[in-house]
Amino acid sequence: MTAGLTELNVNGRAVELAAESGTPLLYVLRNDLGLKGTRFGCGSGECGACMVLVDGAAEMSCQLPLSSVKGKDIQTIEGLAVDGRLSAVQQAVIDHQAGQCAYCLSGIIMAAEALLKANPSPSEEDVRQGLSRNLCRCGIHARIIAAVLSVAESKG
Amino acid sequence: MASASSLIGATGVSAVSDWVGFENDGQVRLCCGKVELGQGILTAIAQLGAAVLDVGADRIAVVSGHTGRTPNEGYTGSSMSVELSGLAVLRATVTARRLLLARAADLMDVDPAALSVEDGSISSERSNLVFDYWQLARSTDLSANVDDSIGWDSAEAAGVPIGSSIPRIDLQNKICGGGFIHDIDLPDMLHARVLKPPSFTARLVSLDRDALAERFPDARLCIDGSFVGIVSDREYDAVQALELARTLAQWRDDAPLPSVENWPDFLRRQRAVTVTSEHGEAPAATGARKLSATYSKPLIAHASMGPSCGLAHWQDGKLTVWSSSQGVFNLRNAIAQALAISPDGVTVIHAHGAGCYGHNGADDAAMEAALLARVFSPRPVRVQWTREDELGWSPFGSPMVVEIEAEMDADDRIANWVANVWSGTHVRRPGFLPGLVDFVATSQLATPIPFSDPSTNPYAFVGSDRNAEPLYDIAHLRIDRHHLPDLPFRLSSLRALGGFANVFALESFMDELADAAGCDPVEFRLRHLSDRRACQVIERVALVADWQAASDTGEGRAKGLAFARYKNTAAYAAIVAEVEIEDTIRLISLVGAVDAGLVINPDGVLNQIEGGAIQAASWTLMEEVTFDSRMVTSTSWSSYPILTFAQAPRTHFEIVGGSENDPLGVGEASQGPTAAAIANAVARALGFRIRDLPINRRQLLQAISQSSPG
C-alpha cells in the first residue's frame, strides 16, 4: 500500500490525493474531498448507498480501492446540478416527493442517472432492474419508480 | 412518577418565546422538541406555523431537538407528533399572533379585528400605518404564557389554509450532498470504531495491543472492562484497525442463546407476569359457533439504511453530544447519569439520521462517543457503527404470540372474544425513566451499569396492549397479556410496537370468522362497526381496490383486506393487498385509505402511510432475525434481506375524512393492517392459511406439507 499521489477527476475537477492507494473511494470522497453526499450503508457492496458514477457506470464506491479509479472520471451526487439547476432525476425526486429519510437517495439517484444514460426510455421493469442493487428501508420504492419513469417520459 | 403523556409531550406552562421568535429580520424562529426522523414532522410544523402567522413558509427557521434551545417534548414516537407538537406550536403561534396584533392595533388605533396580515406585514383599511412582525416584536412582551385553552377549533386554526402540501423542507439538501449526522465534521475530530463482543454476554479476556499498535501506530485504544474503543485521525485506519482488533481479542462467552423451534412453544414456556383486561359480560353457554387460532411474529430488526452515528466533544468540564436519538432530553439524562455528572453539564443536539423506526443504535453510538470524548478530550470524537453492529446490536422488535378464541351467536355476530398475548418488552430506552441507563457500552465497563430488568419499569410492556382489543363492537372482550421479562435478546421500541402483531392476528382472525360465517370479509367487518369513520375507510378501500364480494379461493391470485385504528385512538387505516402465488409469493399491489382527521400536509400523510405499508410488507413476507447459540447471525443485508425494487408492489393510497376532526398520528397506522391484508390475500389465493410470520417460501412449503387445500 503505497502513499504516493493518485490523480483522478471528480465532478469535472482534477484532484491529486495522498490517501493510501488501498483506501476505498467512499472514504476518500467523504473525508479527503469533503463530499459527504456519497453515503456509508454497509461497506460490503450490498446496499447501493455509496454508488457513484465511474466513467459513466454506477459503481459502489465502498468496493473501489483508490488505486482502481486512478485516472478515471468520478461523478458524485454533488456533481449533478449544473449552475444551481438540479438534474432531471433530482428534480423529479423533489416533484414526486420521493423521499422519507432520504439516506438511500444519493445512491439511487446515481443508479438512475446511469440507467437513463444507457436506456433513455426504460420500462417500469427496466427501472426495477436498474435499481436492483439499491435498497430502501422507508418504503419509497413506488415513488422513486414513478419519478424515474417521469424523467424518461419527458425526454422521450 | 412521570405520566405516560409527559414522556411524549411537553408539560407545564411555557412562554411564547420558548417556541416562537422574531430575532432575525424577516425570519421566524420556530422551536420544536420533536425531531425529524424522515417522517416530515418539521415540514408539517413549519407549514402550520407559517399558516397561523400568515408568513411565507420559507421564512420559518425550525430549531428542533436541542436541550439548550428547544422545549422538552419527550420522545418523538408513538405517532403523537402532530397531535402534541402540532398542538403546542398551534397554541404558541396563535398566542404570538394575538399579542403582536394587539400591539399593532394599539399603535394604529384600530380594533384587532380590522387588521389583515400578509407575509408578516400588518395593515388595516382604517389606518395608513403598516407594521411588520419584526418591528412589533421589539415592543411586545413575548415572554407571556402560551394560552393553552386554544384548540384545533380556534378561529385562527379554522381560517388557516392547511391541507395543501408544501415540499419537505429538508429533502433538497439531502439529495444534493448534505443533511445527515454522518456528515458532521468537527475541527480536529477523531474517527472511532467500537469493537462489539462476539455475543451479548461475552467478557473481554485479552487484546494484543502491541500487535495492533505495530500495524496501526496512529490508532489509539480505550479499553475499560469489555468496552473497546479505537480512535484514529483517519477513518479508514479506524475501520481497518477494528477488523484487526477483532482477530486479536479473546473473549469469554457467558450465557448461550436458546434454541427456538417455534415462537409459540418457546414464548409460552417463559416466566410471565400477566395483566388482564375485560369488558362486558361473558355470554352464557349457547352452543354457538366457536373458533380459535394462534398467530406468531418473530424477532425483527430496525435495519436502518444508515448505521448509527454519534459525536461528542468534552471540553472545560462540559459535554456536547450530537445524536439522531428520538429523545434528546432523555438521552442527556442517561448520559449524565452514566458519567456521574450533572445533566446541566451535558447538551444534546439532534441531527438527522437515517430512518430508525423507533429505538435503534443511535443512543448507544452517542454514549460511546461521550465515553471516548472524555478519554480523548479536548478532541471531538465521531463514532460510526458498522452494518454488523446495526443489525446485531440495535434493539429488536419483540417476538410475539397471539392466541384468539371467539364465539359467534346465531346471527353470526361475535359475542365473545378472548385473547392471550405473549410478548417481551417494547421499551427499554436509555433515560426513559430516571435511573434507567440501558446502554450497551455502560453494561460492558469495568464498573458496569447493567441493563435494567423490564419488570422494574411500569411502562415496559405497555406496547403489547396496542390494538390487543379489537375496535369492533363485541359484547364481551377479555385480553390476557403475558409479559415476558427474561427474553435473552435486546428488545425495545419498533414502529407500531405490539400493534403490528396484534393487528396481524386479530385481522387474520376476522377473516377466519367471516369464512366460518360464510360472510364476505368486508361485510363481516362493517357488521361489527358502529364507528362511522372506521366504516368509511373500509368502504373506501374496498371501492378503490375493486373488491369483489364473491371471489374464488385457491386460484393462486387473490386480494385480502384488513383494517385497524392504531392504538384505537390514532389514525384509521384500511389496506387491500393483492398477491400472486407461483413458486414464490409475489405482492402485486397495496391499496390503502387513511382517515387522519385534520391534515396539515396531505402528501406527508400519504408518504408515511405508503412507506409504512411497504415496510410492513417487507416485515411480513421476508423478515426474521436469525441466531445460533452464540449470537445473532443475520448481520448483513444478504442474511437479513429486505424488500427490493424488483419486489416492491404497485401502490395507491388515499386520504378520507374531513378536517372537522382533530389530527391523528399516521406514522404507525398502516403496519398492522398491511400484514393482515397480505396474510388474508395469501389465504384466499392458497385456500389455506399461514399464521406465523414471515409468510415466506419456507412457511409456504411447510404449510403445504401440513395441511390440505380447500
Side-chain angles (χ1 to χ4, degrees):
Chain A
M1 299 289 169
T2 58
L5 292 175
T6 308
E7 290 176 0
L8 55 156
N9 211 292
V10 178
N11 294 331
R13 204 164 60 89
V15 295
E16 274 185 354
L17 296 157
E20 276 196 359
S21 59
T23 310
L25 180 60
L26 170 65
Y27 298 107
V28 174
L29 292 170
R30 291 184 62 80
N31 299 326
D32 297 276
L33 293 172
L35 296 169
K36 302 293 186 181
T38 305
R39 308 205 180 284
F40 170 74
C42 69
S44 13
E46 293 185 309
C47 75
C50 68
M51 269 186 177
V52 296
L53 299 187
V54 181
D55 288 343
E59 307 282 0
M60 316 263 198
S61 62
C62 72
Q63 300 294 287
L64 296 171
L66 187 58
S67 56
S68 72
V69 293
K70 186 169 128 174
K72 303 214 177 196
D73 273 329
I74 311 293
Q75 194 175 31
T76 73
I77 192 82
E78 291 91 344
L80 290 183
V82 175
D83 294 329
R85 238 182 108 224
L86 300 179
S87 76
V89 175
Q90 285 173 309
Q91 189 59 52
V93 167
I94 300 292
D95 294 342
H96 285 77
Q97 290 289 281
Q100 290 180 49
C101 85
Y103 197 83
C104 66
L105 287 181
S106 292
I108 285 174
I109 289 169
M110 300 318 285
E113 296 278 350
L115 166 71
L116 289 167
K117 196 163 279 191
N119 180 359
S121 303
S123 64
E124 181 185 322
E125 190 51 39
D126 291 335
V127 174
R128 288 171 180 272
Q129 283 309 308
L131 298 176
S132 64
R133 293 182 295 158
N134 295 86
L135 295 179
C136 163
R137 183 37 162 182
C138 294
I140 208 66
H141 307 72
R143 288 192 176 208
I144 281 290
I145 291 168
V148 176
L149 284 174
S150 77
V151 175
E153 275 151 31
S154 68
K155 282 185 175 164
Chain B
M1 184 173 83
S3 69
S5 62
S6 73
L7 291 161
I8 304 285
T11 52
V13 171
S14 56
V16 170
S17 52
D18 288 342
W19 301 86
V20 196
F22 300 85
E23 298 86 15
N24 296 326
D25 252 13
Q27 213 183 48
V28 181
R29 169 179 60 87
L30 198 59
C31 287
C32 170
K34 298 298 180 189
V35 296
E36 183 62 56
L37 310 174
Q39 85 284 52
I41 186 62
L42 299 190
T43 301
I45 294 294
Q47 188 177 334
L48 176 63
V52 168
L53 293 170
D54 272 306
V55 296
D58 51 1
R59 292 194 186 280
I60 305 286
V62 179
V63 183
S64 107
H66 191 306
T67 62
R69 296 180 61 195
T70 69
N72 179 357
E73 293 195 82
Y75 291 99
T76 301
S78 210
S79 294
M80 300 292 296
S81 292
V82 169
E83 293 182 48
L84 293 178
S85 197
L87 184 59
V89 167
L90 174 77
R91 286 173 172 164
T93 50
V94 169
T95 309
R97 182 191 167 106
R98 288 177 182 171
L99 289 169
L100 291 163
L101 261 52
R103 180 73 183 126
D106 210 33
L107 291 169
M108 290 155 84
D109 198 25
V110 298
D111 194 272
L115 296 171
S116 60
V117 185
E118 196 183 310
D119 199 16
S121 183
I122 297 96
S123 61
S124 174
E125 283 178 351
R126 300 191 197 148
S127 170
N128 290 326
L129 297 173
V130 175
F131 293 100
D132 65 37
Y133 282 137
W134 297 274
Q135 293 169 314
L136 296 165
R138 287 182 216 129
S139 59
T140 307
D141 182 11
L142 293 176
S143 69
N145 289 339
V146 171
D147 179 356
D148 59 15
S149 69
I150 294 166
W152 293 104
D153 55 357
S154 77
E156 289 88 342
V160 299
I162 57 181
S164 64
S165 306
I166 66 170
R168 277 275 299 275
I169 59 180
D170 54 320
L171 184 58
Q172 180 149 334
N173 186 31
K174 286 170 176 170
I175 64 165
C176 290
F180 289 96
I181 185 171
H182 310 77
D183 308 334
I184 296 175
D185 250 335
L186 299 169
D188 210 28
M189 186 171 81
L190 280 168
H191 288 275
R193 294 293 188 275
V194 173
L195 176 63
K196 301 287 190 299
S199 73
F200 292 127
T201 53
R203 294 284 163 233
L204 186 69
V205 171
S206 67
L207 195 153
D208 189 345
R209 302 181 76 131
D210 294 334
L212 193 70
E214 194 185 307
R215 174 70 181 83
F216 296 102
D218 297 329
R220 286 185 281 166
L221 272 182
C222 162
I223 301 183
D224 182 334
S226 297
F227 173 76
V228 179
I230 303 164
V231 301
S232 179
D233 290 331
R234 291 188 62 74
E235 185 169 20
Y236 190 52
D237 268 9
V239 169
Q240 293 180 287
L242 175 70
E243 289 319 309
L244 181 60
R246 211 182 290 287
T247 69
L248 297 173
Q250 302 279 326
W251 302 86
R252 183 186 68 244
D253 274 331
D254 196 353
L257 292 175
S259 169
V260 175
E261 280 289 310
N262 64 73
W263 290 107
D265 286 348
F266 180 76
L267 293 189
R268 282 172 174 142
R269 280 186 277 131
Q270 303 305 309
R271 174 173 80 99
V273 175
T274 301
V275 170
T276 300
S277 61
E278 192 162 5
H279 303 287
E281 295 265 318
T286 58
R289 201 199 317 256
K290 260 192 198 169
L291 206 67
S292 70
T294 301
Y295 305 87
S296 78
K297 172 218 158 214
L299 279 164
I300 53 176
H302 289 259
S304 176
M305 273 303 291
S308 298
C309 177
L311 298 99
H313 189 200
W314 180 284
Q315 191 158 43
D316 303 323
K318 299 273 181 197
L319 179 67
T320 307
V321 175
W322 291 261
S323 174
S324 58
S325 165
Q326 290 183 330
V328 293
F329 286 85
N330 302 79
L331 178 62
R332 180 193 63 175
N333 294 344
I335 289 176
Q337 180 153 0
L339 297 176
I341 60 179
S342 163
D344 294 336
V346 182
T347 301
V348 180
I349 302 168
H350 185 266
H352 299 191
C356 64
Y357 325 111
H359 173 205
N360 76 331
D363 303 75
D364 291 289
M367 185 71 237
E368 291 163 0
L371 285 168
L372 293 171
R374 188 159 66 166
V375 170
F376 296 105
S377 171
R379 297 188 65 179
V381 175
R382 174 186 186 272
V383 168
Q384 172 67 64
W385 275 26
T386 66
R387 171 50 53 193
E388 294 70 29
D389 292 340
E390 190 65 29
L391 285 173
W393 288 88
S394 278
F396 298 120
S398 179
M400 285 179 64
V401 171
V402 181
E403 189 185 86
I404 307 174
E405 191 178 277
E407 282 172 51
M408 290 193 282
D409 63 22
D411 296 322
D412 286 327
R413 216 169 270 279
I414 308 170
N416 192 26
W417 180 289
V418 174
N420 278 273
V421 177
W422 286 264
S423 177
T425 183
H426 291 282
V427 61
R428 199 158 67 173
R429 294 178 184 256
F432 189 80
L433 293 175
L436 298 183
V437 173
D438 286 333
F439 296 109
V440 173
T442 47
S443 74
Q444 298 175 315
L445 300 174
T447 306
I449 305 175
F451 278 101
S452 65
D453 178 350
S455 324
T456 63
N457 178 355
Y459 299 105
F461 294 96
V462 156
S464 70
D465 79 353
R466 291 194 182 177
N467 295 100
E469 287 188 13
L471 194 71
Y472 299 106
D473 305 323
I474 299 170
H476 177 246
L477 279 177
R478 182 192 160 119
I479 315 286
D480 282 325
R481 289 182 292 126
H482 309 286
H483 300 154
L484 313 175
D486 303 329
L487 297 184
F489 307 99
R490 191 175 183 216
L491 306 174
S492 193
S493 309
L494 174 59
R495 198 171 184 181
L497 273 61
F500 175 66
N502 284 333
V503 172
F504 161 63
L506 91 90
E507 281 292 296
S508 294
F509 195 63
M510 283 300 280
D511 256 37
E512 298 205 53
L513 289 170
D515 265 359
C519 183
D520 168 69
V522 170
E523 209 269 293
F524 189 72
R525 286 170 172 78
L526 295 174
R527 176 190 294 178
H528 290 87
L529 279 170
S530 51
D531 186 324
R532 189 69 216 119
R533 295 170 76 179
C535 293
Q536 207 173 2
V537 290
I538 292 172
E539 284 162 349
R540 183 75 194 156
V541 80
L543 179 69
V544 174
D546 195 27
W547 180 266
Q548 301 299 322
S551 64
D552 299 321
T553 59
E555 298 289 304
R557 180 167 173 146
K559 293 175 186 171
L561 177 142
F563 156 81
R565 179 178 192 188
Y566 182 53
K567 300 186 291 181
N568 290 351
T569 54
Y572 298 80
I575 306 282
V576 169
E578 184 169 17
V579 303
E580 184 168 62
I581 303 180
E582 291 166 333
D583 59 338
T584 56
I585 299 163
R586 188 167 82 89
L587 179 62
I588 299 169
S589 67
L590 286 173
V591 176
V594 61
D595 179 347
L598 186 154
V599 171
I600 298 170
N601 189 312
D603 192 70
V605 166
L606 290 170
N607 214 346
Q608 275 298 281
I609 289 290
E610 177 171 326
I614 292 177
Q615 184 180 74
S618 183
W619 293 359
T620 301
L621 291 166
M622 305 176 72
E623 296 187 33
E624 56 185 339
V625 173
T626 58
F627 50 95
D628 59 22
S629 63
R630 201 180 195 202
M631 183 54 183
V632 171
T633 49
S634 50
T635 53
S636 69
W637 286 121
S638 51
S639 49
Y640 193 86
I642 64 173
L643 207 73
T644 62
F645 273 94
Q647 297 162 318
R650 290 197 165 158
T651 58
H652 178 86
F653 288 83
E654 293 190 7
I655 296 173
V656 302
S659 57
E660 66 278 5
N661 295 305
D662 285 356
L664 300 172
V666 297
E668 299 161 278
S670 54
Q671 315 287 120
T674 297
I678 290 173
N680 291 338
V682 169
R684 289 185 136 213
L686 288 179
F688 57 89
R689 183 167 286 274
I690 294 171
R691 300 189 181 92
D692 301 298
L693 296 180
I695 301 175
N696 59 11
R697 198 175 140 73
R698 192 188 81 239
Q699 293 281 19
L700 187 62
L701 295 173
Q702 202 166 346
I704 288 171
S705 71
Q706 280 170 6
S707 73
S708 49

